[in-house]
Amino acid sequence: MTPVTYGVLDLTALRHNLTRVRTLGGRARVLAVIKANAYGHGLITVARALASADGLAVARVHEAIELKQAGITSRIVVLEGFSSVDELNLLIAHDIEAVVHNDQQVRWLENCSEIDAITVWLKLDTGMNRLGFCVNNFQAAYQCLSDCSVVRSKMILMTHLANADSIGDAMTTRQINRFNSTVQGLSGEKSIANSAGILAWKDSCVDWVRPGCMLFGASPFSDKDSCFFNLKPVMGFYSRLIAVKKVQKGEAIGYGGQWRCKKATLLGVVGAGYGDGYPRHVPSGTPVLVNGVRVPLIGRVSMDMLTVDLADCSDAVVGDPVTLWGVKSLLVEEIARYADTIPYTLLCGITQRVQFLKNVDNALSINDD
Ligand SMILES: *Cc1c(COP(=O)(O)O)cnc(C)c1O
């Protein structure tokens, strides 16, 4: 029995997207970024499906430990590194790699008495002003770590792009130039590109690329959908009608009575809401598919339900399939535009309550999208 609201993961699409990364990235090795529960898709399932990537990256130490405990044997990198001595010791004990981006981390490494060593990804701040050593302190940090017995001699040198999703933005060229001039003469593999870099900035594809959203078939560009880049969406988000009813002209729908029926309305109640990760703040008119037909959402989204106008799908009955965002039509990018956000937040926002079905073909045929 399928639950009322559920997700479907197309792991073939995920692997297709990894192949696209390899094609676009040239000879670069691929550090697949699967932080935040693999952008909402499920950390372990995705890690297994991406076993052929050259490494996996997460944001936090506990995410990396979870991967190790599930028996994942890929190289694993923690993008925020360690934020205490205990975390550093845990990383060393589990053979997990760390981004090092501040002086405190360097001091902890210098004072570390572990026998085993750690692989360090040393981060330069080229203008994003988030994590990383500034240009003037980078070489000194590199020297300190080179002399540090607990740090393996082959460091990877990296930076992160702030505006790569804005095609032609001069900031990206400035960041790439600043990176190249700062790391000049230092030995070590280099890494710059996120998804937007891979898709739009060839110069950012160096020894390692770090794709996140594109692996999940979501475009980082607000004006270009994933299909433009031949990427395939991985997550479909589905539900069902749990009630269908006639509502008279002039009646108000849902909390706050924000939507008033201008005419007699055939109303569909869908069994999914913000408690499942559907964005609460989307406006009336946001599209939803019922039996594969586009109908407008009306009224406020509530925790467990949302309501749609079934005028264009008047033979719909309780139990009929609903697509909130799909893998073939009504892509998450479109819903993100209605929600005035980016696909990342919608994907990561899927909640624990949503079960993911294993039998993709069967699940998708129910939805007919
Ligand atoms: C999240 C993240 C990425 C991946 O970004 P996408 O835009 O999802 O491709 C790459 N590098 C770092 C440091 C990140 O934090």
Side-chain angles (χ1 to χ4, degrees), residues 104 181 335:
Q104 182 62 60
S181 59
I335 303 301

Side-chain angles (χ1 to χ4, degrees), residues 264-283:
T265 299
L266 185 64
L267 185 80
V269 182
V270 176
Y274 64 81
D276 302 288
Y278 192 84
R280 178 178 176 278
H281 57 281
V282 289

Side-chain angles (χ1 to χ4, degrees), residues 31 33 35 39 59 79 99 123 130 158-160 192-196 198 210-214 220 344:
L31 185 69
V33 180
K35 59 198 181 188
Y39 292 53
L79 294 169
V99 170
K123 188 163 187 176
R130 206 176 55 177
M158 67 178 287
T159 192
H160 192 48
I192 305 174
N194 53 5
S195 296
I198 295 163
R210 306 188 309 270
C213 73
M214 70 180 285
Y344 299 65

Side-chain angles (χ1 to χ4, degrees), residues 271-313:
Y274 64 81
D276 302 288
Y278 192 84
R280 178 178 176 278
H281 57 281
V282 289
S284 291
T286 299
V288 171
L289 302 182
V290 175
N291 290 328
V293 177
R294 265 177 190 250
V295 299
L297 182 147
I298 55 176
R300 271 193 194 151
V301 172
S302 45
M303 185 183 288
D304 314 304
M305 286 168 258
L306 57 84
T307 40
V308 295
D309 180 346
L310 292 173
D312 294 330
C313 190

